[in-house]
Amino acid sequence: MASRKPTRILKKIMFEAYEDESMKDISFPHFPSTSSEPLLILPFDPQMNNSEGLPEKFPFPDVLAWGDGLDNESSIFFDGYFSEGDEQKRFCVKVLFNIEKAKPDDYSLQAFHNMLADAKFHAQNLRAVAGVLVPRHYGLWCARTKHWGGTVLCSVTEWAGIPWDRVAAMGYDLTSVKKLFGRTVEQLHDFGVHHNHLHYSGQLHHVLFRRDQTTAGPITRCFVVDFSEARTVPCTRNLPILRVDADIRRDIGGCREALDVQYLLEMYEKDVEISPSTHTYKALRFHKRYSALHPSLRNKDVMTVQRHHFFKDELPLDLNIKFDFQPDGKVVSWKGHKEDSDKLAKRLPDDYIASLLV
């Protein structure tokens, strides 16, 4: 990138050309850098998702044909770095080349619209979870090259890690990684966001994992990426994305996206019927009855109570929430509210839970 600071909003001419004015007033956070040095993009081993939705390396001369002979719905991924003294900050730079040549029926035009939609969704809906569940999005840039890449569109985000297929091939404890991913999806859903494209051709897609500070450290962070098809909607799941003791592939209601993730992670027992003797049946029954008894509760609150009693060995989704129960079983005391806490129970009585399972 040029050292001269570019605009964070695409030039109006670009939006007029593609009849899209929707992002003119969208703003993005500033780069986490006080350096006057440019963001360096390394041309080594750029990647693009292949037909199976998995990252694949492409020679740099080949990617320059993107949009001009190479028609693909995926953008090109580069590593980007800022240097501040001895510290290097890493970014992911998505690039679309030759976008002025895109035709209405080209995949490359769809990639253009996807990049805009992703940036817009980040700016409007994901600020509160940026850097926690999703990478920070720093904006869009447009530039004209002289000859080698036509008009180029760039999207710059926080570097979020490595994809699932690489994690699975590197010998990590997949049980803990699966829990981390499931937990991230549940937290995103409780925030009111459904991704709508977390799998592709039976493979996990648009999820990245990051190691601990050391290169040989454990996987400690999980980020969901690419929100070009996302929407905001309350989650209706009735089971957590955790290992269960029955087959969830049958119609059990709830949230389709959460069940798809649980299925792809193989966090269920194949061909085991959901019967009254299974833990899965009891958790589903509790969810249904408890929701009916307390219709004023949000589903995320009901899921928290279900997790607290039926999956008590697992971490809660929100470590800051403290809660108690009234005599009628209703959950209270969210976010550490302590009023009359000495009169309330920390758990529902066993006979109360048993009454909901009949």
Side-chain angles (χ1 to χ4, degrees):
M1 284 186 179
S3 59
R4 184 180 64 182
K5 184 178 179 181
T7 177
R8 292 179 182 271
I9 308 299
L10 286 177
K11 293 180 180 179
K12 185 178 179 181
I13 188 173
M14 290 300 301
F15 286 104
E16 290 176 340
Y18 293 99
E19 299 181 352
D20 188 339
E21 295 275 345
S22 63
M23 287 188 59
K24 286 198 301 180
D25 299 321
I26 296 295
S27 62
F28 297 94
H30 296 293
F31 270 122
S33 173
T34 58
S35 173
S36 60
E37 293 297 317
L39 172 62
L40 299 178
I41 299 176
L42 303 183
F44 311 112
D45 297 328
Q47 298 183 57
M48 182 169 60
N49 289 340
N50 59 25
S51 59
E52 296 180 352
L54 299 175
E56 182 177 319
K57 294 181 180 180
F58 279 77
F60 184 69
D62 290 355
V63 302
L64 296 181
W66 191 100
D68 185 20
L70 177 62
D71 187 24
N72 196 292
E73 194 173 344
S74 174
S75 53
I76 310 296
F77 299 84
F78 293 88
D79 268 351
Y81 293 88
F82 260 133
S83 294
E84 289 189 318
D86 295 332
E87 182 183 3
Q88 275 196 334
K89 295 182 179 180
R90 190 175 181 183
F91 299 86
C92 173
V93 183
K94 297 181 183 180
V95 182
L96 305 180
F97 296 99
N98 305 298
I99 57 176
E100 78 282 4
K101 299 181 181 180
K103 299 179 179 63
D105 295 331
D106 287 354
Y107 287 119
S108 51
L109 184 59
Q110 183 60 51
F112 174 86
H113 288 301
N114 287 347
M115 188 177 283
L116 298 188
D118 176 55
K120 183 177 179 180
F121 197 88
H122 270 270
Q124 293 183 334
N125 301 290
L126 298 174
R127 286 182 178 272
V129 293
V132 181
L133 305 179
V134 305
R136 293 179 180 88
H137 198 301
Y138 296 110
L140 298 172
W141 283 261
C142 184
R144 291 186 176 92
T145 66
K146 288 186 177 180
H147 306 292
W148 54 267
T151 301
V152 177
L153 178 64
C154 300
S155 166
V156 182
T157 63
E158 173 185 11
W159 185 79
I162 58 178
W164 168 256
D165 62 312
R166 283 184 57 190
V167 171
M170 293 173 70
Y172 284 101
D173 175 11
L174 293 186
T175 298
S176 63
V177 176
K178 288 179 179 181
K179 284 185 180 181
L180 176 62
F181 178 37
R183 179 184 175 83
T184 301
V185 173
E186 288 197 76
Q187 290 172 322
L188 196 60
H189 278 207
D190 283 348
F191 186 64
V193 172
H194 281 224
H195 186 276
N196 287 323
H197 199 190
L198 285 174
H199 61 93
Y200 183 90
S201 299
Q203 298 285 337
L204 289 176
H205 199 42
H206 295 140
V207 56
L208 298 172
F209 300 90
R210 208 156 74 190
R211 298 184 184 95
D212 198 356
Q213 296 296 328
T214 59
T215 56
I219 296 290
T220 59
R221 305 290 301 278
C222 174
F223 294 95
V224 178
V225 298
D226 190 352
F227 288 83
S228 59
E229 299 181 28
R231 60 193 176 106
T232 55
V233 62
C235 183
T236 59
R237 72 187 185 283
N238 50 18
L239 281 175
I241 306 177
L242 292 167
R243 183 80 189 182
V244 295
D245 64 350
D247 198 328
I248 59 168
R249 292 177 294 176
R250 297 169 176 82
D251 184 16
I252 62 171
C255 171
R256 187 70 261 166
E257 180 166 84
L259 285 171
D260 283 345
V261 170
Q262 197 164 8
Y263 168 69
L264 288 170
L265 292 175
E266 299 183 338
M267 300 177 76
Y268 65 97
E269 292 296 329
K270 295 179 181 178
D271 302 321
V272 175
E273 184 179 353
I274 301 176
S275 66
S277 63
T278 62
H279 194 71
T280 305
Y281 173 90
K282 296 172 183 176
L284 288 169
R285 181 71 173 170
F286 175 86
H287 181 278
K288 181 178 180 179
R289 295 290 305 280
Y290 192 78
S291 299
L293 284 173
H294 305 290
S296 63
L297 292 179
R298 302 168 298 178
N299 188 61
K300 62 182 290 186
D301 300 339
V302 176
M303 291 300 300
T304 298
V305 178
Q306 182 202 61
R307 192 182 190 98
H308 182 61
H309 289 85
F310 288 85
F311 302 89
K312 57 186 178 182
D313 293 332
E314 304 295 341
L315 283 175
L317 295 182
D318 190 336
L319 298 176
N320 295 316
I321 285 182
K322 299 177 182 179
F323 54 91
D324 305 302
F325 297 93
Q326 294 176 341
D328 66 352
K330 187 174 181 179
V331 66
V332 294
S333 192
W334 294 100
K335 288 294 182 184
H337 176 58
K338 291 297 183 183
E339 183 179 352
D340 295 330
S341 62
D342 58 330
K343 301 177 182 178
L344 303 173
K346 299 298 181 186
R347 290 179 59 83
L348 294 171
D350 291 342
D351 56 350
Y352 176 89
I353 295 178
S355 71
L356 300 184
L357 304 183
V358 296

